[in-house]
Amino acid sequence: MPPTVWSDALRLALTTFTVVPWPDRTSGGSGKPAPATGVLDRRAAGRAMALAPWLGALLGAVLGAVLAGLREVTAAPIAGALTVGLAALLTRGLHLDGLADTVDALGSYRDRERALRIMKSPEVGPFGVVALVLVLLLQTLTLAQAPVWAVVAAFAAGRCAITLACARGIPSARPDGLGAFVAGSVPRMVALLSAVAVAALAIPAVPGRPWQGPVVVALALFALLLLLRHLVRRLGGITGDVLGAATETVVTLVLIGLTLS
């Protein structure tokens, strides 16, 4: 595989999933992902989506370290809230935005075309607001007591949800946009191996119970597959918003599971 494909993949992954800029000639120096054109870009897209869990693990390591430091100087719930805020800052809040838009679309009970239009609307409806409040509250409360390695595992699993959602056989709901660019770009075996690796990464997440982390990750990712099946049936495929919703859903489920005693 040409080195430029991996360079493009890393650039796309970083600029899509984090605030890290990576200017290049194809993006006009903006650091934003270049438009999808040609076979090379599809290959880069697949590799970028396959890199997502490991960028998630790195993000989780940063957040876990910050969380541990904050616990030393302030109350645990405040440390959890500040860590949730930092996570949103480091990802531009894109995943949270996708969660709100997806829940609004599903909660509208409109037909496919109208639901997709709701997802593109800049407004956040009541369903989206409730989903955001619930997810942020749950993440804050669980991060207040989560071990550092649990944070790493949760954020890796959340980004593994993107890898699974982009596996071959899962279509795009629209002919354009991020969903169309990355849908079906990850080989199924790569997606499966990523899920297994992230489950293994979760072994140290719960001290004294090495089985709990892998089981929680497996259950969360299985729940994701059920959600994806519903979304494909309801919307016709994935969108960029669906990827964001998948991420936040799995992060939250894993954090809850890893903090159960």
Side-chain angles (χ1 to χ4, degrees):
M1 188 61 58
T4 54
V5 176
W6 289 106
S7 175
D8 288 345
L10 182 57
R11 175 177 57 83
L12 178 61
L14 283 171
T15 57
T16 301
F17 302 131
T18 74
V19 294
V20 177
W22 190 326
D24 77 334
R25 64 180 183 278
T26 58
S27 63
S30 66
K32 297 179 180 179
T37 56
V39 177
L40 182 63
D41 283 334
R42 282 290 292 174
R43 290 176 179 176
R47 282 151 183 79
M49 299 305 104
L51 287 172
W54 314 115
L55 287 180
L58 181 60
L59 175 64
V62 172
L63 294 172
V66 171
L67 177 64
L70 287 171
R71 284 175 179 157
E72 296 296 322
V73 296
T74 188
I78 296 176
L82 291 174
T83 303
V84 168
L86 179 61
L89 177 65
L90 293 178
T91 58
R92 297 193 210 89
L94 288 178
H95 304 311
L96 293 169
D97 178 70
L99 172 69
D101 289 342
T102 302
V103 172
D104 274 337
L106 293 177
S108 70
Y109 294 102
R110 303 295 180 88
D111 59 41
R112 173 180 176 274
E113 294 301 324
R114 290 184 180 180
L116 289 174
R117 284 201 294 271
I118 289 172
M119 293 177 78
K120 292 191 74 171
S121 171
E123 299 178 355
V124 179
F127 286 107
V129 170
V130 171
L132 285 176
V133 170
L134 181 61
V135 162
L136 292 173
L137 179 61
L138 287 171
Q139 289 184 6
T140 295
L141 293 176
T142 51
L143 283 172
Q145 55 181 312
V148 170
W149 200 261
V151 182
V152 176
F155 279 83
R159 275 63 186 173
C160 188
I162 294 174
T163 305
L164 292 177
C166 294
R168 287 176 185 166
I170 301 178
S172 171
R174 297 192 183 98
D176 54 9
L178 178 63
F181 185 20
V182 300
S185 63
V186 179
R188 289 185 177 183
M189 184 55 66
V190 172
L192 176 60
L193 291 176
S194 296
V196 172
V198 171
L201 183 70
I203 290 174
V206 182
R209 280 181 284 183
W211 55 268
Q212 186 169 342
V215 169
V216 167
V217 169
L219 289 175
L221 294 179
F222 179 72
L224 167 75
L225 294 178
L226 296 179
L227 175 61
L228 287 174
R229 181 180 179 185
H230 174 68
L231 288 169
V232 169
R233 185 169 59 246
R234 180 77 173 78
L235 303 174
I238 66 167
T239 67
D241 286 329
V242 166
L243 298 181
T247 297
E248 294 297 339
T249 299
V250 171
V251 167
T252 305
L253 289 176
V254 172
L255 284 173
I256 291 172
L258 294 180
T259 52
L260 292 177
S261 58

